[in-house]
Structure formats: structure tokens, C-alpha cells
Amino acid sequence: WRAGELAGDQAGNEPDGDLPAEADLIVPGSGAGGLTAALTAVHCGLSVLVLEHTPVIGGTSLIRARR
């Protein structure tokens, strides 16, 4: 994967901030599973980019209606 391949989402929004030029692994989502995968990959020596579409780390894991 190279950063030039990520030109924004389907709605035409540009990504926020600076993206690395390269990453060994892209993790879609910063929920419990995504962050666990990212941490495991970093522990194994990979460079990781976590992408999240919500405004907070934790993704939709944090946004649940209480019943």
C-alpha cells in the first residue's frame, strides 16, 4: 500500500492529517478488534495505519445505545 492510492473516500472527502508514505498493514477501524490487530502487528515489527471513520478512537464500540 502507498499513500497515493488513498485519495479520499467515495464522498470526495480528503483524509485528515498526514498519512505515512507506506504501511505494512492497514487496519480498518479502531474498535477492540482493530486496535488488538494493530497492537499485535506493531509488536511483530510491522508498520501499521489504523483508519477510523468516526470522530473518536474506539469506533462504534463506544457508540452503543444503553437499554
Side-chain angles (χ1 to χ4, degrees), residues 4-45:
E5 296 171 7
L6 182 66
D9 62 21
Q10 292 178 348
N13 297 318
E14 292 297 319
D16 294 333
D18 294 328
L19 294 174
E22 293 185 15
D24 295 321
L25 176 68
I26 298 175
V27 177
S30 67
L35 292 180
T36 300
L39 181 60
T40 301
V42 168
H43 183 72
C44 291

mmCIF file of all heavy atoms in Angstrom, residues 4-45:
data_model
loop_
_atom_site.group_PDB
_atom_site.id
_atom_site.type_symbol
_atom_site.label_atom_id
_atom_site.label_comp_id
_atom_site.label_asym_id
_atom_site.label_seq_id
_atom_site.Cartn_x
_atom_site.Cartn_y
_atom_site.Cartn_z
ATOM 1 N N GLY A 4 -0.417 7.377 -1.921
ATOM 2 C CA GLY A 4 -1.004 7.951 -3.127
ATOM 3 C C GLY A 4 -2.230 7.200 -3.607
ATOM 4 O O GLY A 4 -3.041 7.729 -4.354
ATOM 5 N N GLU A 5 -2.400 5.961 -3.156
ATOM 6 C CA GLU A 5 -3.562 5.178 -3.552
ATOM 7 C C GLU A 5 -4.796 5.564 -2.749
ATOM 8 O O GLU A 5 -5.907 5.194 -3.093
ATOM 9 C CB GLU A 5 -3.276 3.688 -3.363
ATOM 10 C CG GLU A 5 -2.159 3.196 -4.256
ATOM 11 C CD GLU A 5 -1.723 1.786 -3.921
ATOM 12 O OE1 GLU A 5 -2.375 1.136 -3.089
ATOM 13 O OE2 GLU A 5 -0.717 1.352 -4.494
ATOM 14 N N LEU A 6 -4.635 6.315 -1.666
ATOM 15 C CA LEU A 6 -5.752 6.744 -0.837
ATOM 16 C C LEU A 6 -5.993 8.221 -1.100
ATOM 17 O O LEU A 6 -5.339 9.080 -0.551
ATOM 18 C CB LEU A 6 -5.430 6.513 0.644
ATOM 19 C CG LEU A 6 -6.534 6.867 1.624
ATOM 20 C CD1 LEU A 6 -7.728 5.929 1.428
ATOM 21 C CD2 LEU A 6 -6.030 6.776 3.039
ATOM 22 N N ALA A 7 -6.946 8.510 -1.952
ATOM 23 C CA ALA A 7 -7.180 9.898 -2.357
ATOM 24 C C ALA A 7 -8.440 10.475 -1.730
ATOM 25 O O ALA A 7 -8.933 11.495 -2.174
ATOM 26 C CB ALA A 7 -7.260 9.975 -3.873
ATOM 27 N N GLY A 8 -8.993 9.847 -0.754
ATOM 28 C CA GLY A 8 -10.226 10.311 -0.136
ATOM 29 C C GLY A 8 -11.282 9.239 -0.231
ATOM 30 O O GLY A 8 -11.103 8.232 -0.894
ATOM 31 N N ASP A 9 -12.394 9.469 0.434
ATOM 32 C CA ASP A 9 -13.442 8.453 0.404
ATOM 33 C C ASP A 9 -14.369 8.656 -0.785
ATOM 34 O O ASP A 9 -14.187 9.553 -1.586
ATOM 35 C CB ASP A 9 -14.205 8.424 1.732
ATOM 36 C CG ASP A 9 -14.907 9.744 2.028
ATOM 37 O OD1 ASP A 9 -15.145 10.530 1.093
ATOM 38 O OD2 ASP A 9 -15.230 9.976 3.195
ATOM 39 N N GLN A 10 -15.410 7.856 -0.890
ATOM 40 C CA GLN A 10 -16.310 7.918 -2.030
ATOM 41 C C GLN A 10 -17.093 9.221 -2.073
ATOM 42 O O GLN A 10 -17.564 9.621 -3.122
ATOM 43 C CB GLN A 10 -17.260 6.722 -2.014
ATOM 44 C CG GLN A 10 -16.544 5.419 -2.266
ATOM 45 C CD GLN A 10 -17.475 4.223 -2.199
ATOM 46 O OE1 GLN A 10 -18.605 4.321 -1.754
ATOM 47 N NE2 GLN A 10 -16.991 3.089 -2.648
ATOM 48 N N ALA A 11 -17.265 9.892 -0.942
ATOM 49 C CA ALA A 11 -17.978 11.163 -0.914
ATOM 50 C C ALA A 11 -17.075 12.317 -1.331
ATOM 51 O O ALA A 11 -17.513 13.451 -1.418
ATOM 52 C CB ALA A 11 -18.534 11.415 0.485
ATOM 53 N N GLY A 12 -15.809 12.035 -1.598
ATOM 54 C CA GLY A 12 -14.883 13.078 -2.018
ATOM 55 C C GLY A 12 -14.182 13.767 -0.874
ATOM 56 O O GLY A 12 -13.499 14.762 -1.076
ATOM 57 N N ASN A 13 -14.330 13.270 0.343
ATOM 58 C CA ASN A 13 -13.651 13.867 1.486
ATOM 59 C C ASN A 13 -12.183 13.498 1.475
ATOM 60 O O ASN A 13 -11.831 12.363 1.214
ATOM 61 C CB ASN A 13 -14.278 13.391 2.802
ATOM 62 C CG ASN A 13 -15.719 13.817 2.927
ATOM 63 O OD1 ASN A 13 -16.057 14.937 2.587
ATOM 64 N ND2 ASN A 13 -16.561 12.920 3.394
ATOM 65 N N GLU A 14 -11.352 14.451 1.768
ATOM 66 C CA GLU A 14 -9.916 14.197 1.858
ATOM 67 C C GLU A 14 -9.593 13.683 3.254
ATOM 68 O O GLU A 14 -10.206 14.082 4.231
ATOM 69 C CB GLU A 14 -9.121 15.479 1.588
ATOM 70 C CG GLU A 14 -9.224 15.948 0.146
ATOM 71 C CD GLU A 14 -8.634 14.954 -0.835
ATOM 72 O OE1 GLU A 14 -7.585 14.380 -0.547
ATOM 73 O OE2 GLU A 14 -9.237 14.758 -1.892
ATOM 74 N N PRO A 15 -8.610 12.781 3.379
ATOM 75 C CA PRO A 15 -8.215 12.311 4.704
ATOM 76 C C PRO A 15 -7.628 13.446 5.530
ATOM 77 O O PRO A 15 -7.029 14.366 4.990
ATOM 78 C CB PRO A 15 -7.168 11.240 4.421
ATOM 79 C CG PRO A 15 -6.898 11.267 2.976
ATOM 80 C CD PRO A 15 -7.875 12.181 2.305
ATOM 81 N N ASP A 16 -7.845 13.396 6.845
ATOM 82 C CA ASP A 16 -7.306 14.408 7.754
ATOM 83 C C ASP A 16 -5.864 14.084 8.107
ATOM 84 O O ASP A 16 -5.512 12.935 8.288
ATOM 85 C CB ASP A 16 -8.117 14.460 9.052
ATOM 86 C CG ASP A 16 -9.532 14.942 8.815
ATOM 87 O OD1 ASP A 16 -9.737 15.693 7.851
ATOM 88 O OD2 ASP A 16 -10.414 14.562 9.586
ATOM 89 N N GLY A 17 -5.036 15.109 8.228
ATOM 90 C CA GLY A 17 -3.669 14.923 8.687
ATOM 91 C C GLY A 17 -2.759 14.303 7.638
ATOM 92 O O GLY A 17 -3.142 14.060 6.510
ATOM 93 N N ASP A 18 -1.540 14.079 8.049
ATOM 94 C CA ASP A 18 -0.545 13.482 7.169
ATOM 95 C C ASP A 18 -0.597 11.970 7.281
ATOM 96 O O ASP A 18 -0.643 11.419 8.369
ATOM 97 C CB ASP A 18 0.860 13.967 7.544
ATOM 98 C CG ASP A 18 1.034 15.451 7.284
ATOM 99 O OD1 ASP A 18 0.409 15.958 6.338
ATOM 100 O OD2 ASP A 18 1.793 16.085 8.029
ATOM 101 N N LEU A 19 -0.587 11.311 6.138
ATOM 102 C CA LEU A 19 -0.552 9.856 6.114
ATOM 103 C C LEU A 19 0.868 9.402 5.833
ATOM 104 O O LEU A 19 1.608 10.083 5.125
ATOM 105 C CB LEU A 19 -1.483 9.318 5.021
ATOM 106 C CG LEU A 19 -2.963 9.579 5.228
ATOM 107 C CD1 LEU A 19 -3.742 9.117 4.005
ATOM 108 C CD2 LEU A 19 -3.447 8.870 6.463
ATOM 109 N N PRO A 20 1.266 8.269 6.374
ATOM 110 C CA PRO A 20 2.606 7.760 6.073
ATOM 111 C C PRO A 20 2.716 7.404 4.595
ATOM 112 O O PRO A 20 1.722 7.089 3.940
ATOM 113 C CB PRO A 20 2.723 6.514 6.954
ATOM 114 C CG PRO A 20 1.325 6.118 7.258
ATOM 115 C CD PRO A 20 0.512 7.373 7.238
ATOM 116 N N ALA A 21 3.933 7.461 4.071
ATOM 117 C CA ALA A 21 4.158 7.127 2.666
ATOM 118 C C ALA A 21 3.907 5.647 2.398
ATOM 119 O O ALA A 21 3.462 5.279 1.313
ATOM 120 C CB ALA A 21 5.579 7.501 2.257
ATOM 121 N N GLU A 22 4.157 4.802 3.373
ATOM 122 C CA GLU A 22 3.943 3.363 3.231
ATOM 123 C C GLU A 22 3.526 2.773 4.572
ATOM 124 O O GLU A 22 3.833 3.325 5.624
ATOM 125 C CB GLU A 22 5.225 2.660 2.771
ATOM 126 C CG GLU A 22 5.654 3.015 1.378
ATOM 127 C CD GLU A 22 6.860 2.201 0.930
ATOM 128 O OE1 GLU A 22 7.199 1.193 1.565
ATOM 129 O OE2 GLU A 22 7.461 2.597 -0.063
ATOM 130 N N ALA A 23 2.822 1.646 4.512
ATOM 131 C CA ALA A 23 2.456 0.905 5.724
ATOM 132 C C ALA A 23 2.416 -0.572 5.369
ATOM 133 O O ALA A 23 2.002 -0.940 4.276
ATOM 134 C CB ALA A 23 1.110 1.363 6.262
ATOM 135 N N ASP A 24 2.850 -1.407 6.298
ATOM 136 C CA ASP A 24 2.791 -2.851 6.092
ATOM 137 C C ASP A 24 1.361 -3.372 6.222
ATOM 138 O O ASP A 24 0.981 -4.334 5.561
ATOM 139 C CB ASP A 24 3.668 -3.581 7.118
ATOM 140 C CG ASP A 24 5.144 -3.263 6.940
ATOM 141 O OD1 ASP A 24 5.594 -3.164 5.783
ATOM 142 O OD2 ASP A 24 5.831 -3.098 7.963
ATOM 143 N N LEU A 25 0.580 -2.731 7.085
ATOM 144 C CA LEU A 25 -0.770 -3.202 7.360
ATOM 145 C C LEU A 25 -1.700 -2.018 7.544
ATOM 146 O O LEU A 25 -1.366 -1.064 8.247
ATOM 147 C CB LEU A 25 -0.775 -4.049 8.648
ATOM 148 C CG LEU A 25 -2.120 -4.555 9.138
ATOM 149 C CD1 LEU A 25 -2.686 -5.590 8.173
ATOM 150 C CD2 LEU A 25 -1.991 -5.130 10.541
ATOM 151 N N ILE A 26 -2.870 -2.078 6.928
ATOM 152 C CA ILE A 26 -3.930 -1.096 7.156
ATOM 153 C C ILE A 26 -5.019 -1.796 7.954
ATOM 154 O O ILE A 26 -5.503 -2.849 7.557
ATOM 155 C CB ILE A 26 -4.505 -0.563 5.839
ATOM 156 C CG1 ILE A 26 -3.433 0.159 5.043
ATOM 157 C CG2 ILE A 26 -5.694 0.361 6.112
ATOM 158 C CD1 ILE A 26 -3.876 0.604 3.674
ATOM 159 N N VAL A 27 -5.389 -1.191 9.077
ATOM 160 C CA VAL A 27 -6.438 -1.754 9.924
ATOM 161 C C VAL A 27 -7.676 -0.874 9.777
ATOM 162 O O VAL A 27 -7.640 0.306 10.121
ATOM 163 C CB VAL A 27 -5.995 -1.811 11.400
ATOM 164 C CG1 VAL A 27 -7.114 -2.322 12.284
ATOM 165 C CG2 VAL A 27 -4.745 -2.670 11.553
ATOM 166 N N PRO A 28 -8.769 -1.436 9.252
ATOM 167 C CA PRO A 28 -9.991 -0.648 9.101
ATOM 168 C C PRO A 28 -10.799 -0.644 10.398
ATOM 169 O O PRO A 28 -11.433 -1.620 10.752
ATOM 170 C CB PRO A 28 -10.750 -1.380 7.982
ATOM 171 C CG PRO A 28 -10.298 -2.794 8.092
ATOM 172 C CD PRO A 28 -8.878 -2.742 8.625
ATOM 173 N N GLY A 29 -10.726 0.445 11.123
ATOM 174 C CA GLY A 29 -11.499 0.581 12.343
ATOM 175 C C GLY A 29 -10.650 0.525 13.594
ATOM 176 O O GLY A 29 -9.680 -0.218 13.672
ATOM 177 N N SER A 30 -11.046 1.348 14.569
ATOM 178 C CA SER A 30 -10.289 1.418 15.825
ATOM 179 C C SER A 30 -11.086 0.843 16.988
ATOM 180 O O SER A 30 -10.892 1.239 18.134
ATOM 181 C CB SER A 30 -9.898 2.864 16.124
ATOM 182 O OG SER A 30 -11.056 3.649 16.397
ATOM 183 N N GLY A 31 -11.973 -0.093 16.695
ATOM 184 C CA GLY A 31 -12.679 -0.794 17.763
ATOM 185 C C GLY A 31 -11.746 -1.775 18.454
ATOM 186 O O GLY A 31 -10.538 -1.826 18.176
ATOM 187 N N ALA A 32 -12.306 -2.563 19.329
ATOM 188 C CA ALA A 32 -11.494 -3.505 20.108
ATOM 189 C C ALA A 32 -10.706 -4.451 19.208
ATOM 190 O O ALA A 32 -9.508 -4.680 19.423
ATOM 191 C CB ALA A 32 -12.387 -4.300 21.055
ATOM 192 N N GLY A 33 -11.341 -4.992 18.189
ATOM 193 C CA GLY A 33 -10.651 -5.919 17.285
ATOM 194 C C GLY A 33 -9.583 -5.239 16.463
ATOM 195 O O GLY A 33 -8.473 -5.762 16.291
ATOM 196 N N GLY A 34 -9.889 -4.047 15.951
ATOM 197 C CA GLY A 34 -8.917 -3.319 15.136
ATOM 198 C C GLY A 34 -7.688 -2.911 15.915
ATOM 199 O O GLY A 34 -6.556 -3.067 15.452
ATOM 200 N N LEU A 35 -7.893 -2.396 17.120
ATOM 201 C CA LEU A 35 -6.740 -1.981 17.931
ATOM 202 C C LEU A 35 -5.929 -3.179 18.409
ATOM 203 O O LEU A 35 -4.704 -3.093 18.515
ATOM 204 C CB LEU A 35 -7.194 -1.116 19.108
ATOM 205 C CG LEU A 35 -7.756 0.253 18.719
ATOM 206 C CD1 LEU A 35 -8.164 1.030 19.969
ATOM 207 C CD2 LEU A 35 -6.761 1.045 17.883
ATOM 208 N N THR A 36 -6.594 -4.297 18.672
ATOM 209 C CA THR A 36 -5.862 -5.511 19.043
ATOM 210 C C THR A 36 -5.005 -5.985 17.886
ATOM 211 O O THR A 36 -3.827 -6.338 18.065
ATOM 212 C CB THR A 36 -6.833 -6.621 19.482
ATOM 213 O OG1 THR A 36 -7.575 -6.151 20.619
ATOM 214 C CG2 THR A 36 -6.100 -7.897 19.847
ATOM 215 N N ALA A 37 -5.572 -5.982 16.682
ATOM 216 C CA ALA A 37 -4.805 -6.376 15.494
ATOM 217 C C ALA A 37 -3.631 -5.433 15.256
ATOM 218 O O ALA A 37 -2.517 -5.870 14.956
ATOM 219 C CB ALA A 37 -5.715 -6.411 14.270
ATOM 220 N N ALA A 38 -3.875 -4.133 15.407
ATOM 221 C CA ALA A 38 -2.810 -3.148 15.192
ATOM 222 C C ALA A 38 -1.686 -3.323 16.208
ATOM 223 O O ALA A 38 -0.503 -3.311 15.850
ATOM 224 C CB ALA A 38 -3.383 -1.737 15.277
ATOM 225 N N LEU A 39 -2.029 -3.502 17.470
ATOM 226 C CA LEU A 39 -1.021 -3.677 18.514
ATOM 227 C C LEU A 39 -0.211 -4.951 18.287
ATOM 228 O O LEU A 39 1.012 -4.953 18.434
ATOM 229 C CB LEU A 39 -1.687 -3.711 19.887
ATOM 230 C CG LEU A 39 -0.760 -3.875 21.078
ATOM 231 C CD1 LEU A 39 0.233 -2.734 21.155
ATOM 232 C CD2 LEU A 39 -1.563 -3.962 22.358
ATOM 233 N N THR A 40 -0.888 -6.020 17.899
ATOM 234 C CA THR A 40 -0.196 -7.276 17.620
ATOM 235 C C THR A 40 0.777 -7.115 16.456
ATOM 236 O O THR A 40 1.918 -7.584 16.522
ATOM 237 C CB THR A 40 -1.211 -8.395 17.310
ATOM 238 O OG1 THR A 40 -2.083 -8.549 18.432
ATOM 239 C CG2 THR A 40 -0.526 -9.706 17.015
ATOM 240 N N ALA A 41 0.342 -6.428 15.402
ATOM 241 C CA ALA A 41 1.205 -6.222 14.238
ATOM 242 C C ALA A 41 2.418 -5.364 14.586
ATOM 243 O O ALA A 41 3.540 -5.666 14.164
ATOM 244 C CB ALA A 41 0.405 -5.582 13.106
ATOM 245 N N VAL A 42 2.219 -4.314 15.368
ATOM 246 C CA VAL A 42 3.342 -3.465 15.788
ATOM 247 C C VAL A 42 4.311 -4.266 16.645
ATOM 248 O O VAL A 42 5.528 -4.157 16.488
ATOM 249 C CB VAL A 42 2.829 -2.215 16.536
ATOM 250 C CG1 VAL A 42 3.968 -1.486 17.237
ATOM 251 C CG2 VAL A 42 2.113 -1.276 15.574
ATOM 252 N N HIS A 43 3.778 -5.086 17.524
ATOM 253 C CA HIS A 43 4.618 -5.938 18.373
ATOM 254 C C HIS A 43 5.476 -6.882 17.515
ATOM 255 O O HIS A 43 6.597 -7.220 17.897
ATOM 256 C CB HIS A 43 3.745 -6.733 19.337
ATOM 257 C CG HIS A 43 4.515 -7.584 20.292
ATOM 258 N ND1 HIS A 43 5.241 -7.057 21.334
ATOM 259 C CD2 HIS A 43 4.681 -8.927 20.359
ATOM 260 C CE1 HIS A 43 5.825 -8.037 22.002
ATOM 261 N NE2 HIS A 43 5.497 -9.182 21.432
ATOM 262 N N CYS A 44 4.961 -7.278 16.358
ATOM 263 C CA CYS A 44 5.695 -8.163 15.442
ATOM 264 C C CYS A 44 6.606 -7.395 14.493
ATOM 265 O O CYS A 44 7.233 -7.984 13.612
ATOM 266 C CB CYS A 44 4.710 -9.011 14.642
ATOM 267 S SG CYS A 44 3.843 -10.223 15.636
ATOM 268 N N GLY A 45 6.677 -6.078 14.646
ATOM 269 C CA GLY A 45 7.604 -5.283 13.850
ATOM 270 C C GLY A 45 7.035 -4.658 12.584
ATOM 271 O O GLY A 45 7.788 -4.111 11.784
#
